[in-house]
Amino acid sequence: MKSGTFGFNKEYLEQPDIPNTWRAMEALYDSDKARAIGVSNFSSKKLQDLLDIARVVPAVNQVELHPGWQQPKLRAFCESKEIHLSV
């Protein structure tokens, strides 16, 4: 949310800066302050966009996954990139 805003309105939302956030997480990984880094609720497209700029591949993607929502495309993508899916 943008600073100084109240209530929920789409105009109040800020877009996350994923590349800079990931670089900061890689710095923590490089300094041994984190043994692994990962993401949560990333789609195949978001993961590919991240992989295009990342030095360190995410160790895990935490997502909703159950018999009613099996996400076969995401599962196959993560398996091909050796990214663990945590549910």
Side-chain angles (χ1 to χ4, degrees):
M1 302 294 288
K2 292 181 182 176
S3 180
T5 60
F6 300 96
F8 182 79
N9 192 326
K10 285 185 180 182
E11 291 91 43
Y12 298 162
L13 298 177
E14 290 187 1
Q15 291 300 315
D17 186 356
I18 292 173
N20 280 333
T21 301
W22 192 254
R23 281 190 280 277
M25 291 173 63
E26 287 176 328
L28 291 171
Y29 178 81
D30 292 339
S31 70
D32 292 327
K33 292 182 180 175
R35 289 186 284 166
I37 53 178
V39 295
S40 180
N41 296 316
F42 270 43
S43 64
S44 298
K45 176 169 180 356
K46 270 191 178 176
L47 275 172
Q48 185 58 61
D49 291 345
L50 178 63
L51 291 172
D52 289 343
I53 59 105
R55 285 185 303 102
V56 178
V57 175
V60 63
N61 183 15
Q62 181 182 10
V63 297
E64 181 179 0
L65 189 67
H66 51 74
W69 193 12
Q70 297 184 16
Q71 302 199 59
K73 179 182 171 188
L74 179 61
R75 286 189 2 235
F77 182 84
C78 287
E79 186 175 314
S80 74
K81 304 297 182 183
E82 297 184 0
I83 300 170
H84 177 76
L85 272 181
S86 175
V87 296

